[in-house]
Amino acid sequence: GDLDVSVPVQSKDEYGKVIQTFNDMTLRLREAEDARRRLVADVAHELRTPLSIMQLKLENAQQSGEYAPPEMLLRLQDEVIRLSLLVEDLHVLSLAEAGRLALDCKPIDLAAKLEQIVDDVNMEAEEKGLEIRFYSNKRPITVMADARRITQVFINLLTNAIRYTPEGGKISVVMEDKVLDRAATYTCVSVADTGIGIPAEDLNHLFDRFYRVEKARSRHTGGTGLGLSIAHHLIRAHGGFIRVVSEPEQGTTFTVYLPLD
Ligand code: ADP
């Protein structure tokens, strides 16, 4: 392509340095351009499936010459909802990736917030025969955070835990007020499940956008494949990070670290 330029560096003087800088810049531009192309391709791919389902249904309805039955309208509505979620997720992700997501940080009691979130997803878990428990070594635990964004992260981790844990399983949310890691102190929250787990070779890609362990696995359970990359960026924007450990057939634990000051 246009960016496939590189000039051989023949001297170590000023001139050589300028050429080296030029080569580095071209390389970086090429990487950015590749990333942009990949994103556009991924988005097009993700939009195509719901759109073609909708198109097909509408064509069938039109050809039958009758009014569309309610079940069909419900299916169409599902696809529209899926598309809206996807577009909303993409918007947040693109802002976060560009470092332009404005956080509204205030002191919040994270223990109380988590208790409320666990309460909110409890019904969904019970319907699947799953037990969710919340443990905290101290209360209240105050952190500076954007309550809405933090809620989004934990809802996502918990929804995944529910989604990928078979009936009869257990999910626990464990909160510790002070954890030392690389000479800094963090408040730390683990979301652990006894679910299907994630193979070791997939762990490195888990936070990549649209990455799914099995292509078919999450599509019909309603996932956009963006949840974890959004969570990663949201926690990074708070100065924290997320770690994951998993054992196939045993379960998965995501741990969120939020800095204390
Ligand atoms: P999705 O919307 O597909 O759930 P995510 O970004 O939230 O997208 O997750 C990416 C992939 O990671 C999922 O498709 C799934 O394969 C895997 N995954 C996430 N959480 C878990 C979990 N708790 N147990 C097993 N696999 C998980």
Side-chain angles (χ1 to χ4, degrees), residues 18-251:
V18 170
I19 291 176
Q20 187 56 54
T21 308
F22 171 80
N23 287 344
D24 292 348
M25 278 168 59
T26 332
L27 185 69
R28 235 167 284 151
L29 270 175
R30 195 156 57 209
E31 283 168 359
E33 179 62 14
D34 284 350
R36 194 192 59 80
R37 268 200 208 112
R38 239 176 297 127
L39 175 61
V40 173
D42 287 348
V43 170
H45 177 79
E46 294 294 323
L47 293 178
R48 199 174 291 134
T49 311
L51 282 174
S52 58
I53 292 175
M54 286 164 55
Q55 193 182 1
L56 203 74
K57 298 233 166 251
L58 287 168
E59 264 170 30
N60 287 345
Q62 202 206 10
Q63 276 160 17
S64 78
E66 287 163 24
Y67 286 116
E71 319 80 77
M72 198 198 98
L73 290 178
L74 276 177
R75 272 302 312 273
L76 278 175
Q77 197 182 13
D78 277 353
E79 294 301 332
V80 172
I81 290 172
R82 171 195 274 293
L83 278 174
S84 313
L85 287 176
L86 181 59
V87 170
E88 176 58 31
D89 276 1
L90 274 170
H91 180 60
V92 173
L93 186 64
S94 70
L95 286 177
E97 278 185 348
R100 288 216 249 128
L101 194 80
L103 292 180
D104 180 18
C105 285
K106 292 190 179 107
I108 57 167
D109 177 5
L110 192 57
K113 188 94 221 151
L114 282 165
E115 197 157 46
Q116 180 204 327
I117 295 171
V118 167
D119 213 54
D120 288 346
V121 297
N122 191 39
M123 204 157 86
E124 202 183 325
E126 271 179 5
E127 274 172 18
K128 253 196 99 178
L130 301 171
E131 187 190 298
I132 300 198
R133 286 283 178 80
F134 175 64
Y135 307 88
S136 174
N137 68 342
K138 196 186 135 209
R139 282 169 207 228
I141 296 178
T142 308
V143 293
M144 281 297 284
D146 184 323
R148 189 165 71 103
R149 298 306 183 188
I150 287 295
T151 303
Q152 186 180 358
V153 169
F154 287 104
I155 291 273
N156 181 258
L157 295 179
L158 282 165
T159 314
N160 279 346
I162 294 171
R163 210 178 265 164
Y164 302 113
T165 303
E167 216 186 302
K170 284 198 173 70
I171 297 166
S172 52
V173 180
V174 181
M175 178 157 193
E176 282 175 78
D177 70 318
K178 245 184 208 156
V179 173
L180 191 69
D181 193 277
R182 293 185 219 125
T185 45
Y186 296 87
T187 294
C188 142
V189 184
S190 303
V191 177
D193 65 54
T194 59
I196 58 176
I198 299 161
E201 66 265 27
D202 293 302
L203 287 177
N204 282 335
H205 305 285
L206 214 57
F207 296 97
D208 296 352
R209 62 169 105 86
F210 296 125
Y211 192 80
R212 295 179 177 109
V213 172
E214 273 171 60
K215 295 282 171 289
R217 181 148 113 182
S218 77
R219 175 151 272 291
H220 61 264
T221 51
T224 61
L226 291 176
L228 285 179
S229 46
I230 290 177
H232 164 83
H233 283 288
L234 289 179
I235 294 301
R236 273 253 307 249
H238 281 84
F241 55 93
I242 306 184
R243 283 194 187 136
V244 56
V245 286
S246 188
E247 182 79 44
E249 318 284 320
Q250 299 296 312

Side-chain angles (χ1 to χ4, degrees), residues 5-26:
V5 278
S6 168
V7 183
V9 183
Q10 275 151 347
S11 60
K12 286 202 157 87
D13 57 10
E14 297 283 277
Y15 188 61
K17 277 188 211 147
V18 170
I19 291 176
Q20 187 56 54
T21 308
F22 171 80
N23 287 344
D24 292 348
M25 278 168 59
T26 332

